[in-house]
Amino acid sequence: MQGSTMKNVFLGFALASMLPLAACGDDNDTPTSPTQSGPPVSTPAPSPTPTPTPTPQPPVVDSTVTESGFVFQPLARSGPDGINVTFRLSDTTVVHADANTMVRDGSADTNTTAVRLGQAVTVTGVQRNGFVQATLIVITSH
């Protein structure tokens, strides 16, 4: 009986080793392991669109301007003693002048407290973002 027992054990091992193969079946669309390729792909995967390189912006060049006009519609006085002033010189020009801005009234040098509504002035400064940052204000007429 020992021979038939060996045959049974061998047959059991053979059947047990074939069991995983029988479980896989004949399905070609499903991979049986992570290393086995899957079903065929009908359309290729889209390739990523390259990110465009940003165009560097030219550096902002401040331009020095000199404009003349009448002080109208004072916009604001601020800072200690109201020495910082912002006023409209024309329909398109707004002037900022701070405590360091030199103001010339005739032959005397003064500060921005001398700038008043209705005066004729010539403003020299740096124009940026639609404003003129004044470096010199000359009062030409009261």
Side-chain angles (χ1 to χ4, degrees), residues 54-129:
T55 305
Q57 298 296 323
V60 176
V61 178
D62 296 330
S63 58
T64 303
V65 296
T66 301
E67 295 194 30
S68 297
F70 290 92
V71 177
F72 75 94
Q73 190 183 1
L75 300 177
R77 284 200 178 269
S78 62
D81 301 322
I83 205 156
N84 299 331
V85 65
T86 301
F87 61 91
R88 187 172 291 279
L89 186 62
S90 69
D91 288 336
T92 59
T93 304
V94 176
V95 178
H96 294 296
D98 60 21
N100 298 324
T101 304
M102 184 171 39
V103 177
R104 189 164 294 133
D105 187 2
S107 61
D109 288 342
T110 183
N111 62 28
T112 58
T113 59
V115 177
R116 303 274 188 256
L117 184 63
Q119 292 174 326
V121 295
T122 300
V123 176
T124 302
V126 177
Q127 186 170 18
R128 60 175 81 105
N129 298 329

Side-chain angles (χ1 to χ4, degrees), residues 39-49:
V41 179
S42 60
T43 59
S47 60
T49 56

